[in-house]
Every structure is written in C-alpha cells, then in structure tokens.
Amino acid sequence: MSSRFGALREEAWRANAEIPKLGLAILTWGNASALDRSAGVFAIKPSGLEYDELKPENMVIVDLEGKVVEGELRPSSDTKTHLVLYRAFEGISGVCHSHSTHAVAWAQARRPIPCFGTTHADQTAGSVPCTDMISAAELERDYELSTGELIVRSFEGRDPLHTPMVLVAGHGPFTWGRGALEAVRYAAALEEMARMAILTLAVDPEAEALPEHVVRKHWERKHGKNAYYGQKK
Amino acid sequence: MSSRFGALREEAWRANAEIPKLGLAILTWGNASALDRSAGVFAIKPSGLEYDELKPENMVIVDLEGKVVEGELRPSSDTKTHLVLYRAFEGISGVCHSHSTHAVAWAQARRPIPCFGTTHADQTAGSVPCTDMISAAELERDYELSTGELIVRSFEGRDPLHTPMVLVAGHGPFTWGRGALEAVRYAAALEEMARMAILTLAVDPEAEALPEHVVRKHWERKHGKNAYYGQKK
Amino acid sequence: MSSRFGALREEAWRANAEIPKLGLAILTWGNASALDRSAGVFAIKPSGLEYDELKPENMVIVDLEGKVVEGELRPSSDTKTHLVLYRAFEGISGVCHSHSTHAVAWAQARRPIPCFGTTHADQTAGSVPCTDMISAAELERDYELSTGELIVRSFEGRDPLHTPMVLVAGHGPFTWGRGALEAVRYAAALEEMARMAILTLAVDPEAEALPEHVVRKHWERKHGKNAYYGQKK
Amino acid sequence: MSSRFGALREEAWRANAEIPKLGLAILTWGNASALDRSAGVFAIKPSGLEYDELKPENMVIVDLEGKVVEGELRPSSDTKTHLVLYRAFEGISGVCHSHSTHAVAWAQARRPIPCFGTTHADQTAGSVPCTDMISAAELERDYELSTGELIVRSFEGRDPLHTPMVLVAGHGPFTWGRGALEAVRYAAALEEMARMAILTLAVDPEAEALPEHVVRKHWERKHGKNAYYGQKK
C-alpha cells in the first residue's frame, strides 16, 4: 500500500505490537497511536482487532478533528481521547492506553499512586494522578472526548512531560511520550510502579511516600538539565 | 476418522487447546465444548486427559440427553452441567469450565464479582453472579446436573447473553458464547476481571462499584444496538 | 553408564526436570526421588546441582538405610526425609520436595490449608496438614530424619494416599505418589491450591471451608471406588 | 576489541544478561558489576542501555576511585555505590542492583525481611537488613556514594558474607558475592524470599520468624564449616 504515512503507520504498529508482548493487555484490549504533528494526523489501532491480526497497513490515519484520513477500518473507540491529549499536550507525539492489571486496580480504586520509591521517581515527578469519575452529563455529551478532558483537567498546574501518565477513574491508564514507543514504555513502567505500590501496602498499609529530596534527585538525575543517567545524546 | 461431526470436534479441540495456553488451568483441569444445535449434539473434552494428548479425534460427541453418540472415551465429568446450560440458554453454542486462579478464588469465597471498572463492563452487564452452594440433597440427586440447575436459577430475570459467565460457589467459573472459542475468550476475560477486582480491594477494601451510567455506556458501546466498538460485521 | 537402575534414574531425572518447568522451584532448590520398592533403593537428585546440569546418570542411588549404592555425587541433603517417608508410607514410590512460592507461604505461616473448593477436594480429602515446628532436640538428633518423622506423626489416623501432601512448618511442601512423576504433579496441584487459598482469603478473610458433602463427593468421583473422573484403566 | 579486561567484561556482561532473564528488572533498570581485585578495577553496565543492546565490549571498566579506565560509554549511574561496597567488603568480587518487584516492595516499606523459613535461612543468616532513609545532607554530598555508605553502616557487627544482600530504604536491593554471577543469583533468591515473606503475611499477619535453632542449622548445613549441602569442592 502506498501512503504518505507509511512511517507513521509503522511506528504505531510497532507500538501496538509491544502492548501484549510487555503483558499490558490481553485479547483486543488497549491501543497506541503515533502523531505526525506537522501533518496534523495520527496513526491508531483499528477497533476490536486481535493483536496478531495487526499490520502497518491496517493502522487508521485520523486527523486532529477526528476525521479518518486513510484506512478502511474503524479506528479505536478511544480515538477521541488520544486526540484531546494531542491537542492539549504540545510536546507529545505518542499515546498509549493499556489495560495493565495493577494500574487498572488503582484506577478502579480511584486513587493516585503514591511515589513510594525511586523506581517510581525515575519515571515521574511525584504521584500518578487519578482523574475524577466521569459524570453522567459529561458521558452523554461525548464519552471519549470527555475522558480526554478529564485527563487534561487533572494536569492543571502540572507539566504533562514531567508526569507522562494518568489513571482514568474506573477505567485505566493512559501514558504518552515523544513517540508511540516511548508512550508504551511508560505504560510498562507504570504497570510495574503500580504493582510495587500494591505490594508496598501489603508489607505496610501505613507506608509513607518517598521524602521530597529523594523524589527530586531521582527525577533530576534522569530528566533534569544536569541529568547523568543514560548516555549523552 | 470419518465423522459427521468433524468440524464440531475441531472447534471443541481448538477451544480446549486454548485453555492451558491462556493460563486458565493446569494439568487436566477445565474443559470446553461446542454445540451443533441443529444436530442436537455437542463435542466435549474427554475426562482426565492431559491437554497435550488432546486431538480432534478424541473429542466425545454427546447428545442433549447426555448419551454418547460417538467416541471411545468417557466425556468430561462435567458433561451434564454443559448439557443443562445448552438446554436452558437458547442463544449459546459453546461452554467453557476453567479452573482459573482468581475466578476460582471468588467462587471459593462465594461472592459475586462487583463491576469495579470498564474492563469488566466491556464484558458483562453488571456484577458476575455466584450461585448458591449446592445442598446435600441436590448433590445426591445428580451432582453435575444440579450444578447446571444452580447456574440457571441464578440467571432468573437476567439475560445469559448479556452476562456470559457465572461462578459456581465453592467450585469455579463457567462461561459461554455463540461458539466454543468465544466461551474460552470470556473465560480469559473473567480471569482478568477477577484478578483486577482482588487487586482493587487490595488498594481500597471499600472500593465502590462503577456508577451505573458508565456500566451501561461501556456495555452498550460494545454490545448495544448502536455499538461502535470493533468492526462492522 | 551401565546400571541395574537405569529406568529408576530415568524416572527420577524426568521428575526432577519437571520441577523448574512447572515453576515449583528456582536455582537448585527442590528435589524428587523414585523408589524401586522390590530392590529397596531409590534414585534421587544430587545435592546443589543446577536443574539444567541434571542427567539420568548423575541421579544418586540410595538404599532404605540411607547408604549410597551407586553414584559419585552426594545425594540431596533432604535424602533422609525421603527415606523416612518410603519406610512409613507403604503404597508410595515417589517423593517430591518443592520450594513452590505459595505452598511455602502456608508452611512459613505454619497453617494447614483449608479445603476451600473443589479444585482442592479433587486432590486431597480435606485440609492439607502442617507439621509441628521441629524442636531443638529433634533437630540435634538428626535434622532430616526428624523432619520425616514429623511428617509421619502428622498422618496418625490419616491415610497418606488420600492426602498425598504435607507442609513442613517453617520449611515447605513434600508430596508423594505411586511414582515420582505423580509426586511432582501433586506438588504442582498443591501450589495452585495454596495460591487459590491465599486469594480466597484476600476476597474474604472469613471464607468458610467447603461443606463436607461436596468435599466427599469430589474426592470420591475422582478417587473413590465408583470414580467416574478420567478414563477406565 | 583487544583489552586486558576481556574476561572481566565477559563476566559482567553475562551477569547483566541474567537480570532480565531471571525477571529481576524490566526496561533498562538494574545493573551488575564484576571486580578484578588484584587489578583494582571492575566492569559495569553502561547507563541507560537496553539489556538486549549489551555486549561484552560495551561494559565500562572503572577503577576503585571511580575513574573510567576503559570504555566509551558512561558507566551505570549507581557506579559509586558498587565502588563503596567493593572497598568496604573485602571478600566480594561481584555486585548486583536489581529492581525486582517484591524486594523493592520491602525496601519501599522500609522494613527488613524477617526470616520466616528455611528458603530464606539457606541464603542468609537472619533477616535481610534495610538501611536508613538517606538524609538530605547525605544526598547533597554525593547521592550514590552516600547510598553505599548507608549500606556499609547497616552491616556494623554483621558479616557481609553471611548476609550477601541488603535493602536500600525507598530504593531497592543490592546483593553481592564472590563473583558477579553469584551476586545475581543472590538477587534472584532475595526476590523469591521477599515474595514468600509477603505471602506469609497474607496467610497470617502475625507470622513469627523461624526459631533460632532452625535458622542456624540451615545456614550451617549450606555454608558452615561442616556444610553438607551441595558437592565437595
């Protein structure tokens, strides 16, 4: 298939293929998308397909108004949520929605995940926020669009690039990044953080969050301007 | 082996082969069957065989009175439970009984699984019911037949196609669908829903069920008459 | 290597190889043995070897006094415990000691595993017993021999063939059977029963044991004289 | 690449490759190093690389002052912690820092792991210590160096060869051994001990530690001067 969006499809397909490999969803659950901001379109998983049926060719190209630009299949039912995030969070070019078990558990309990340790602090600055429960009115208006807006609202005064992840109350996690693969890697990290946090509470139901000086240090050594984790780019 | 029921055996065999692959039972535990409603027979796993010994040829063909029509082996000891479900639930053509760990835990605790989130609501309309514990009298009369009747009784006033799954108290899950593979997929979904629900209680023992407007929305966007999840058929 | 005990070594080796495959121990932990009762010897895993170093040839042949009859390597440090079980439980020809995670948890909590459901009742008649903690005097006399005696003592008035498994307090599970492979399969079943029981308590800390009429029924349909689970032998 | 340190790189690379295989960390998390004490240098994982990008050639050679002696990449951000351990604990030649889930949970709860059973006692003499939380002043001075010093301080009056593992509060486990592979094996053992301990508390929140006579016996039969576990060396 010839397409202006071959590379974008390829990126979205690779990211979606990682979801079941990393154990972040079973059956047809979950989805990832990749944005080409200059072209104003993103490639997203078609709705309800099995992961092993996916190919670069069946990724759906959607513009930032939600119109299908290329592709024969219906895009993911969560497409409008991705779209709202791309519009609101300027630095991002990839979104992932997983159904990973432990992150969903926190979302279902409608609780932010406290930053109990450095594994968590390496990924995000502080706790992982949890949105409000969607109201009946918001749901009636447009369920998936409102879900995106609930996420954006929970980031008021917070930098989405410093906390590339959120829990949607009663639903599950969304993560994002500079590309679709980075978004999926944050989904994997979030699942592990969520699992560690539940187990921390199993050891001590009164466990305290990591002191602020350690949270800041870990985040800065990995993401700050004097970062020394990883290799120079 | 020439048989009028080659395709039915094949379907039942494929469905049974999925049980251990999806991690829904170990050793010889669990079983699935596929019904040909027009012929009035179903193909079911033989009793006590290892999953890797199974072949389409050793599936047992049983009629809706429980008589073996074809096959040299004894059918699953749970055959009569499958039979009762096929008789009572007209729209179904596949049944699966797994021993999946977390669904069994809820069955052993004899509790319905609350609908804590959208992962659950995507699969069933509301909580997953749990039958009453079988009485000594019911057990004496016919254990497996009575087990089927306990299930049917727990669906009074409830559509078995909207909730394609149940927990048998003290025993484990049964799921069903329009075919045997769909029944097994619901068993996989149920196991994940059961696991998420236990973890939700680990985060918050007082966790509340999903509000009714979200339950309804998720079920309807996937299964309702204006469903927009998945592809048009 | 020519040996009178080639088949016995082979059986013991196969059984030991199943231990890590079934997820019942990591590293060098755990061991299984196979008895030839007429010859009065058993083949057992050598001590401290990695599972992937094992071969039929390095299984150690030991007699029922604990003397090494054939083999260059030291037998498992738990050899005397196996020996005591072979002497005391006449119908058995295989023993397995695993370090499986959830069974060890019950052993460490020094609690019998209640029979919460039919998955458990299919394997054993009632709860899985837990021995007393070994005393300093018993330990001084002969640690591994005393461990075997603690197990035997916990079966007073109980048929070891109806309950082919035990928890040694503070240590872990031992299982047995008519052969070494059957012993390992009971170890796998016990691990799953132990895991389900912990999760049952997570759903309901006050969960009740299965009523006696269901326990008896399940055990009898599988192991009783009118058993109808599995195929005629 | 010709290097005086080919064998050391190879050992460090093998040890790092075991970390994801044994399930002790995901993504780029965790690191292991191998020391050549006579040469006064160790080989360590480069910072932030994916495990499947690792090769013997990209291990970084660092001396005991922390200076990079060979290698183009930045060494692990935890390098100074390894260095402090090599300086303080004379008998060791390998260090591993994993992010294994259950060990991290104990570290995040800032609790030593009680010795609940013989699986634990086979590995270490008594509970697994947990350091103090790092203070802001210690962190400012030199985060990774101070982390090493916190570990060393928690071993005052305790033999690091008898307890080859520690939890860093709010962070995670460090383990060590006579070589890098032994250090990684202790990391695997620690993870399993940590998991069993959480499950033991799930069975009985008041579970008691193993009596001292059993702790001593198990440690001595494996590591004491009359050890009889494993093969003669």
Side-chain angles (χ1 to χ4, degrees):
Chain A
M1 173 194 261
S2 95
S3 160
R4 293 156 54 204
F5 306 115
L8 198 65
R9 286 171 187 281
E10 179 84 16
E11 182 190 350
W13 169 72
R14 275 185 197 285
N16 278 292
E18 286 295 300
I19 292 175
K21 273 190 221 158
L22 291 167
L24 304 177
I26 61 166
L27 305 173
T28 64
W29 308 351
N31 44 73
S33 68
L35 174 72
D36 179 338
R37 201 169 277 280
S38 63
V41 300
F42 57 101
I44 193 165
K45 178 167 171 273
S47 185
L49 263 72
E50 302 279 325
Y51 280 100
D52 56 14
E53 297 174 272
L54 298 183
K55 293 173 288 199
E57 301 88 83
N58 54 28
M59 296 294 115
V60 186
I61 305 292
V62 183
D63 71 17
L64 288 173
E65 306 303 315
K67 205 164 74 64
V68 172
V69 172
E70 250 188 44
E72 317 254 303
L73 298 172
R74 274 182 189 163
S76 164
S77 54
D78 295 309
T79 296
K80 283 189 191 165
T81 311
H82 290 240
L83 177 156
V84 173
L85 298 182
Y86 285 133
R87 283 196 204 154
F89 298 162
E90 291 188 7
I92 71 171
S93 296
V95 169
C96 175
H97 169 47
S98 91
H99 279 249
S100 75
T101 317
H102 297 80
V104 166
W106 284 93
Q108 293 191 158
R110 309 180 201 174
R111 296 241 180 128
I113 308 177
C115 181
F116 284 131
T118 63
T119 312
H120 181 130
D122 278 340
Q123 305 298 321
T124 108
S127 63
V128 178
C130 183
T131 68
D132 292 331
M133 176 58 68
I134 195 166
S135 70
E138 287 162 334
L139 185 148
E140 285 306 320
R141 192 163 54 81
D142 189 317
Y143 176 54
E144 292 81 10
L145 200 83
S146 293
T147 297
E149 289 171 356
L150 280 167
I151 294 173
V152 174
R153 205 190 307 153
S154 69
F155 275 79
E156 272 167 27
R158 196 165 183 166
D159 185 338
L161 292 173
H162 288 193
T163 304
M165 49 185 70
V166 73
L167 304 171
V168 176
H171 190 144
F174 281 81
T175 56
W176 46 83
R178 285 161 300 177
L181 283 162
E182 190 175 283
V184 174
R185 291 171 64 90
Y186 277 125
L190 172 54
E191 173 59 10
E192 187 67 2
M193 290 152 60
R195 190 173 168 221
M196 286 171 171
I198 290 177
L199 290 164
T200 300
L201 293 177
V203 175
D204 179 6
E206 310 296 325
E208 283 177 47
L210 200 62
E212 191 50 33
H213 61 275
V214 189
V215 175
R216 207 172 43 240
K217 174 69 182 178
H218 260 263
W219 198 83
E220 284 177 358
R221 82 171 184 166
K222 196 154 179 181
H223 306 281
K225 69 172 186 240
N226 297 313
Y228 56 97
Y229 179 95
Q231 303 300 323
K232 280 170 208 144
K233 306 259 158 68
Chain B
M1 173 195 260
S2 94
S3 160
R4 292 158 53 204
F5 307 115
L8 198 65
R9 286 171 186 280
E10 180 83 16
E11 182 189 352
W13 169 72
R14 275 185 197 284
N16 278 291
E18 285 296 300
I19 292 175
K21 275 191 221 157
L22 291 166
L24 304 177
I26 62 166
L27 304 173
T28 64
W29 309 350
N31 43 73
S33 68
L35 174 72
D36 179 338
R37 200 168 278 280
S38 63
V41 299
F42 57 101
I44 192 165
K45 178 167 170 274
S47 185
L49 263 71
E50 302 278 325
Y51 280 101
D52 56 15
E53 297 174 90
L54 297 183
K55 292 173 289 198
E57 300 88 83
N58 55 28
M59 296 295 116
V60 187
I61 305 293
V62 183
D63 70 19
L64 287 174
E65 306 303 315
K67 204 164 74 63
V68 171
V69 171
E70 250 187 43
E72 317 256 302
L73 298 171
R74 274 184 191 163
S76 164
S77 55
D78 295 309
T79 296
K80 283 188 191 163
T81 310
H82 289 239
L83 176 158
V84 172
L85 298 182
Y86 285 133
R87 283 197 204 153
F89 297 163
E90 292 188 6
I92 71 171
S93 297
V95 168
C96 174
H97 169 46
S98 91
H99 279 248
S100 75
T101 317
H102 297 81
V104 166
W106 284 93
Q108 293 191 158
R110 309 180 200 174
R111 295 241 181 129
I113 307 178
C115 181
F116 283 132
T118 62
T119 313
H120 181 130
D122 278 339
Q123 306 298 321
T124 108
S127 64
V128 178
C130 183
T131 69
D132 292 330
M133 176 59 67
I134 195 166
S135 69
E138 288 163 332
L139 186 150
E140 285 307 319
R141 193 162 55 82
D142 188 315
Y143 177 53
E144 291 81 9
L145 199 83
S146 293
T147 297
E149 289 171 357
L150 280 167
I151 294 173
V152 173
R153 204 189 307 154
S154 69
F155 275 78
E156 272 166 28
R158 195 165 183 167
D159 184 339
L161 292 174
H162 288 193
T163 304
M165 48 185 72
V166 73
L167 304 171
V168 175
H171 190 144
F174 281 80
T175 55
W176 47 83
R178 285 160 300 176
L181 282 163
E182 189 175 282
V184 174
R185 290 171 65 90
Y186 276 126
L190 172 54
E191 173 59 10
E192 187 66 2
M193 290 151 59
R195 190 174 168 218
M196 286 172 171
I198 289 177
L199 291 164
T200 300
L201 293 177
V203 175
D204 179 4
E206 310 296 323
E208 282 177 47
L210 200 61
E212 191 50 33
H213 61 274
V214 188
V215 175
R216 205 172 44 238
K217 173 69 181 177
H218 261 263
W219 198 84
E220 284 178 359
R221 83 171 183 166
K222 196 155 178 182
H223 307 281
K225 69 173 187 244
N226 297 313
Y228 56 96
Y229 180 94
Q231 303 301 323
K232 281 170 207 143
K233 307 261 160 68
Chain C
M1 171 194 261
S2 96
S3 161
R4 293 159 52 204
F5 307 115
L8 197 64
R9 288 170 186 279
E10 179 83 16
E11 182 190 352
W13 169 73
R14 275 184 197 286
N16 278 291
E18 286 295 300
I19 292 174
K21 273 190 222 157
L22 291 167
L24 304 177
I26 61 166
L27 304 173
T28 65
W29 309 350
N31 44 73
S33 69
L35 174 73
D36 178 339
R37 201 168 277 280
S38 63
V41 300
F42 57 101
I44 192 165
K45 178 166 170 276
S47 185
L49 263 70
E50 301 279 324
Y51 280 101
D52 56 15
E53 297 174 271
L54 297 183
K55 292 174 289 198
E57 300 87 83
N58 54 27
M59 296 294 116
V60 187
I61 306 292
V62 182
D63 70 18
L64 288 173
E65 305 304 315
K67 205 164 72 62
V68 172
V69 172
E70 250 187 44
E72 316 256 302
L73 298 171
R74 275 184 190 161
S76 165
S77 55
D78 295 309
T79 295
K80 283 189 192 164
T81 310
H82 290 239
L83 176 157
V84 172
L85 298 182
Y86 285 133
R87 281 198 206 153
F89 298 162
E90 291 188 6
I92 72 172
S93 297
V95 168
C96 175
H97 169 47
S98 91
H99 279 248
S100 76
T101 316
H102 297 81
V104 166
W106 284 92
Q108 292 191 158
R110 308 180 201 174
R111 295 242 179 127
I113 306 178
C115 181
F116 283 131
T118 62
T119 313
H120 182 129
D122 277 340
Q123 306 298 320
T124 108
S127 64
V128 178
C130 183
T131 69
D132 291 330
M133 176 58 67
I134 195 167
S135 70
E138 288 163 334
L139 184 150
E140 285 307 318
R141 192 160 56 80
D142 188 318
Y143 176 53
E144 291 82 9
L145 200 82
S146 293
T147 297
E149 289 172 356
L150 281 167
I151 294 172
V152 173
R153 205 189 307 153
S154 69
F155 275 79
E156 272 166 28
R158 195 164 182 166
D159 185 338
L161 291 174
H162 288 193
T163 304
M165 48 185 74
V166 74
L167 304 171
V168 176
H171 190 143
F174 281 81
T175 54
W176 47 83
R178 284 160 300 176
L181 281 164
E182 189 174 283
V184 174
R185 291 171 65 90
Y186 276 125
L190 171 54
E191 172 60 10
E192 187 65 3
M193 290 150 60
R195 189 172 168 221
M196 286 171 170
I198 290 178
L199 290 164
T200 300
L201 293 176
V203 175
D204 180 4
E206 311 295 325
E208 283 177 48
L210 200 61
E212 192 50 32
H213 61 275
V214 188
V215 175
R216 203 171 46 238
K217 173 68 181 179
H218 261 263
W219 198 84
E220 283 177 358
R221 82 170 183 166
K222 196 156 178 180
H223 306 281
K225 68 174 188 241
N226 297 314
Y228 56 96
Y229 180 94
Q231 303 301 323
K232 279 171 207 144
K233 305 259 158 70
Chain D
M1 172 194 261
S2 96
S3 160
R4 293 157 54 203
F5 307 116
L8 198 64
R9 286 171 187 281
E10 179 84 17
E11 182 190 350
W13 169 73
R14 276 185 196 285
N16 278 292
E18 286 295 301
I19 292 174
K21 273 191 222 158
L22 291 167
L24 304 177
I26 62 165
L27 305 173
T28 64
W29 309 350
N31 44 73
S33 69
L35 175 73
D36 179 339
R37 200 168 279 278
S38 62
V41 299
F42 58 100
I44 192 165
K45 177 166 170 276
S47 186
L49 263 70
E50 302 278 324
Y51 279 101
D52 56 15
E53 296 175 271
L54 297 183
K55 293 173 289 199
E57 300 88 83
N58 54 28
M59 296 294 115
V60 188
I61 306 292
V62 183
D63 71 17
L64 288 173
E65 306 303 315
K67 206 163 72 61
V68 171
V69 172
E70 250 188 44
E72 317 254 303
L73 298 171
R74 275 184 190 161
S76 164
S77 54
D78 295 309
T79 296
K80 283 189 191 164
T81 311
H82 289 239
L83 177 156
V84 172
L85 298 181
Y86 285 133
R87 282 197 205 152
F89 298 162
E90 291 187 7
I92 72 171
S93 297
V95 168
C96 175
H97 169 47
S98 91
H99 279 249
S100 75
T101 317
H102 297 80
V104 166
W106 284 92
Q108 293 191 158
R110 308 180 201 175
R111 297 241 178 127
I113 307 177
C115 182
F116 284 133
T118 62
T119 312
H120 181 130
D122 277 340
Q123 306 298 319
T124 111
S127 63
V128 178
C130 183
T131 69
D132 292 331
M133 176 57 67
I134 195 167
S135 69
E138 288 162 333
L139 185 150
E140 285 306 320
R141 191 162 56 81
D142 188 317
Y143 176 53
E144 291 81 9
L145 200 83
S146 293
T147 297
E149 289 172 356
L150 281 167
I151 294 172
V152 173
R153 205 190 306 154
S154 70
F155 275 80
E156 272 166 28
R158 194 164 183 166
D159 184 338
L161 291 174
H162 288 191
T163 304
M165 50 185 72
V166 73
L167 304 171
V168 176
H171 190 144
F174 280 81
T175 55
W176 46 83
R178 285 160 300 177
L181 281 163
E182 190 175 283
V184 174
R185 291 170 64 89
Y186 277 126
L190 171 54
E191 173 59 10
E192 187 65 3
M193 290 151 60
R195 190 174 168 219
M196 285 171 170
I198 290 178
L199 290 165
T200 300
L201 293 177
V203 175
D204 179 5
E206 310 295 326
E208 283 177 48
L210 200 61
E212 192 49 35
H213 61 274
V214 188
V215 175
R216 206 171 44 239
K217 173 68 181 178
H218 261 262
W219 198 83
E220 284 177 358
R221 82 171 184 166
K222 195 155 179 181
H223 306 281
K225 68 174 189 240
N226 296 314
Y228 55 97
Y229 180 94
Q231 302 301 324
K232 280 171 208 146
K233 306 254 159 72

